Amino acid sequence: MTPRNCLVTGASRGIGSVIAGRLSAAGHRVALTARGADQLAEVAAKLSGPSLCLPADVTDPAAVDNVFSTVEDAWGPVEVLVLNAGAAVAKPMAKLTDDEWYGQLELNLTAPFRAMRRAIPAMTRSNWGRIVVIASIAGKIGEPNLSAYTASKHGVIGLMRAAAAELAKTGVTVNAVCPGYVDTPMTDGWVGKIAARTGKDRAEIRTALEHKQPIRRLITADEVADVVDLCVASAAITGQAITVDGGAVQS
Ligand SMILES: NC(=O)c1ccc[n+]([C@@H]2O[C@H](COP(=O)([O-])OP(=O)(O)OC[C@H]3O[C@@H](n4cnc5c(N)ncnc54)[C@H](OP(=O)(O)O)[C@@H]3O)[C@@H](O)[C@H]2O)c1
């Protein structure tokens, strides 16, 4: 296995922190970014190999450019880019503000576009690169009360497909992983918000989210990371939106 320079966005908790840990355990150099510097440092401190802890807001183009430049100065170009940072605004479409709409597109679609655009020239120059976007089943099916999130995740899958088609001859693969409900702080946050809106018991809400997966449980972050590992290992898998949802969306 060749050690690679990896950059994981949204690496301070949940799925991103597990992906960072797995890449590090596999022997890669891992740069981590997210806004919260303390949480990011805690994750980086647990990694077994070389790491760079680079706090940044992925919606700030200058900050993201600085993250890439810092990795390049320390190790060389980013070779494995995992675009995981994301969040969801949950409310009925009729109540969604313009700011919320644009905020979701900025975070879940435009930020991945800018990071890909920044990473691609060095990847194509070296004839090797891996880009993996953590999308969602909301990138494949319509989800109620998640219109902007759903639109942004459908959009990022389109972006991934276009990039994969464009880069197919260059040694760079581009894929997306589409999880169902994963056991992370984001899902905990959803449980809290639904409880506040409906007055329902948190345990009952969590069980309902577990039952959205036919396997009757939440997906684990490690199960999402398994597919990221596959996308990093394979030169033949590209342009795919791989669903990890216990069988809910059969596509
Ligand atoms: N949890 C699920 O059920 C689920 C299902 C399908 C898809 N996903 C997708 O999987 C990805 C990770 O989700 P998760 O469940 O692990 O979420 P999470 O536990 O809330 O973690 C989100 C990560 O993204 C970072 N982040 C958020 N906004 C950011 C910004 N503007 N700039 C930089 N970093 C930012 C957070 O750190 P800071 O807040 O410190 O910036 C954190 O590290 C997201 O793209 C999400 O849409 C999640």
Side-chain angles (χ1 to χ4, degrees):
M1 194 277 308
T2 309
R4 301 287 183 184
N5 303 329
C6 308
L7 172 60
V8 182
T9 72
S12 63
R13 58 176 184 266
I15 295 168
S17 64
V18 171
I19 292 170
R22 293 273 291 261
L23 290 169
S24 180
H28 300 296
R29 296 173 285 273
V30 184
L32 307 91
T33 191
R35 291 165 303 180
D38 292 348
Q39 236 183 346
L40 203 59
E42 278 173 35
V43 174
K46 289 183 193 144
L47 299 185
S48 45
S51 66
L52 289 170
C53 193
L54 306 171
D57 184 334
V58 293
T59 65
D60 176 345
V64 172
D65 189 55
N66 190 44
V67 165
F68 275 90
S69 299
T70 307
V71 176
E72 285 159 358
D73 290 347
W75 298 333
V78 171
E79 298 168 292
V80 175
L81 176 63
V82 182
L83 298 165
N84 164 79
V89 172
K91 57 160 69 171
M93 201 188 306
K95 294 190 173 164
L96 201 67
T97 67
D98 279 7
D99 281 351
E100 288 165 336
W101 170 262
Y102 286 122
Q104 286 282 273
L105 295 187
E106 188 72 17
L107 175 60
N108 297 327
L109 176 56
T110 305
F113 157 68
R114 289 202 194 102
M116 279 190 204
R117 185 177 60 185
R118 180 67 173 76
I120 284 167
M123 289 181 176
T124 54
R125 267 197 302 277
S126 65
N127 299 309
W128 197 94
R130 298 286 183 266
I131 300 172
V132 186
V133 181
I134 309 304
S136 169
I137 54 164
K140 293 194 166 181
I141 56 164
E143 283 278 330
N145 300 321
L146 286 170
S147 53
Y149 182 74
T150 301
S152 66
K153 292 295 189 181
H154 273 68
V156 84
I157 289 175
L159 174 72
M160 172 280 293
R161 288 180 174 139
E166 198 170 313
L167 299 173
K169 293 178 185 160
T170 68
V172 179
T173 68
V174 192
N175 291 287
V177 186
C178 299
Y181 285 87
V182 187
D183 193 2
T184 71
M186 178 188 267
T187 298
D188 294 339
W190 274 334
V191 170
K193 281 177 197 152
I194 296 168
R197 197 178 69 233
T198 62
K200 283 186 187 163
D201 178 57
R202 290 179 68 100
E204 188 189 330
I205 296 162
R206 194 176 163 90
T207 302
L209 293 183
E210 287 169 358
H211 288 185
K212 284 197 173 239
Q213 286 67 235
I215 56 174
R216 311 285 278 183
R217 62 168 175 81
L218 297 178
I219 304 301
T220 68
D222 266 302
E223 288 167 331
V224 179
D226 287 341
V227 181
V228 175
D229 285 348
L230 177 67
C231 294
V232 173
S234 174
I237 299 173
T238 191
Q240 301 306 308
I242 303 171
T243 306
V244 186
D245 72 343
V249 178
Q250 298 181 339
S251 66

